[in-house]
Amino acid sequence: MSKITVYPDKDSLISGAADFIAGAAVQAIEARGRFTLALSGGHTPRPVYARLATPGYRERLDWSKVQVFFGDERCVPPDDPQSNYLMVKTALFDEVPLPEANIHRIRGEDDPEQAASYYAQELQRTFGGEAAAGGSPMEGFDLILLGMGDNGHTASLFPGLPAVTETMRWVMAQYVEVVCMWRLTLTPVVINAARQVAFLVAGAPKAEMVHKVLEGPYQPVVLPSQIIKPTQGELHWLLDEPAAAQLRRTS
Ligand code: 6PG
């Protein structure tokens, strides 16, 4: 059962999400000596990353113990305006004392298949398990942050594409017609092994899709966000009121 938290407006959603991430970081570092986090791309999370770089948050985290990964990436170089890495670098990495070695970016500039297998090995080095043999990582992420597109996609798990129902590979490269580009994405194998997964969704244009994903019939091939069901972990939906407007249940 997912936990839904609704904030009155976009600004309180941004603070709420920054508090959620900082709280999860402090807890994980206390419990396990490190915090492993996978970030989402797109527009919605950018102000949250910028908020984490502000004094009230920056000092709360021991950045030397934070390991940052990406849920997905566009197959472009790291200095391309469409790069999720570039977005996070300018909003967060350039503003906090996070060691370069703790930033695990997806190499969007490489051959997509090579980049996918390289990133799976990177995950295996951090979480253990046998990426090549399929099956879940030994240990899951402490927190994976996800967004949701108007068509119900999340990370780069797009409607009708094979990665949505993947049960072996940890990372996949796919050509995505609707955005006319190759994308690299974590698969549900890795996402659903996480201790916590949090969707961050804002704005009235997403209200109908939020309702369909959370309260509509289960059809993940059409609505990929529905495939996100952590096997042992928690699932959170952080929403602003306009995005939650069509929901029957809001907690
Ligand atoms: C990406 C994202 C993607 C995003 C949704 C929502 O690389 O684009 O990871 O899954 O979260 O498309 O994007 P917005 O926040 O811009 O609506």
Side-chain angles (χ1 to χ4, degrees):
M1 187 71 144
S2 52
K3 177 152 182 8
I4 301 170
T5 308
V6 181
Y7 298 86
D9 53 36
K10 180 90 181 277
D11 194 58
S12 53
L13 172 65
I14 290 163
S15 311
D19 285 336
F20 186 93
I21 296 167
V26 170
Q27 229 179 32
I29 291 168
E30 258 164 33
R32 289 174 291 279
R34 72 176 186 181
F35 176 54
T36 53
L37 170 67
L39 297 178
S40 165
H43 300 98
T44 309
R46 191 182 196 292
V48 176
Y49 303 151
R51 187 68 55 90
L52 286 171
T54 56
Y57 292 92
R58 193 175 47 219
E59 278 67 34
R60 278 171 65 185
L61 273 71
D62 177 350
W63 294 94
S64 71
K65 297 202 170 79
V66 177
Q67 300 285 341
V68 181
F69 289 76
F70 285 80
D72 72 324
E73 185 58 281
R74 294 90 181 270
C75 289
V76 294
D79 57 358
D80 186 292
Q82 293 192 78
S83 162
N84 285 340
Y85 165 75
L86 183 65
M87 180 269 283
V88 182
K89 181 179 183 301
T90 50
L92 179 65
F93 297 158
D94 290 348
E95 309 300 326
V96 296
L98 178 69
E100 196 61 34
N102 293 21
I103 299 173
H104 308 268
R105 78 176 177 86
I106 299 177
R107 296 179 60 83
E109 69 273 30
D110 291 353
D111 165 77
E113 294 302 340
Q114 273 173 7
S117 99
Y118 175 82
Y119 209 58
Q121 288 156 28
E122 182 101 346
L123 290 168
Q124 183 177 310
R125 278 191 289 275
T126 304
F127 297 104
E130 279 292 320
S136 298
M138 294 279 287
E139 187 196 340
F141 274 95
D142 292 307
L143 177 60
I144 296 185
L145 202 63
L146 295 174
M148 186 192 71
D150 299 347
N151 61 0
H153 82 263
T154 188
S156 281
L157 303 173
F158 279 80
L161 292 185
V164 176
T165 50
E166 177 65 24
T167 58
M168 298 284 285
R169 286 170 284 179
W170 295 6
V171 186
M172 282 177 71
Q174 302 175 117
Y175 184 75
V176 183
E177 291 282 350
V178 284
V179 290
C180 307
M181 68 179 331
W182 280 87
R183 291 277 191 108
L184 287 150
T185 187
L186 297 186
T187 69
V189 176
V190 172
I191 299 174
N192 287 333
R195 290 190 172 86
Q196 292 197 93
V197 177
F199 278 94
L200 179 67
V201 184
K206 300 253 175 99
E208 189 185 351
M209 190 48 72
V210 169
H211 165 61
K212 280 186 180 163
V213 167
L214 282 170
E215 298 175 336
Y218 185 65
Q219 41 176 351
V221 173
V222 179
L223 304 174
S225 292
Q226 289 183 326
I227 202 79
I228 307 303
K229 290 180 183 301
T231 40
Q232 271 139 16
E234 296 171 5
L235 178 58
H236 294 262
W237 284 76
L238 310 180
L239 309 169
D240 65 4
E241 250 167 43
Q246 296 187 29
L247 286 180
R248 287 191 293 274
R249 174 176 77 87
T250 55
S251 65

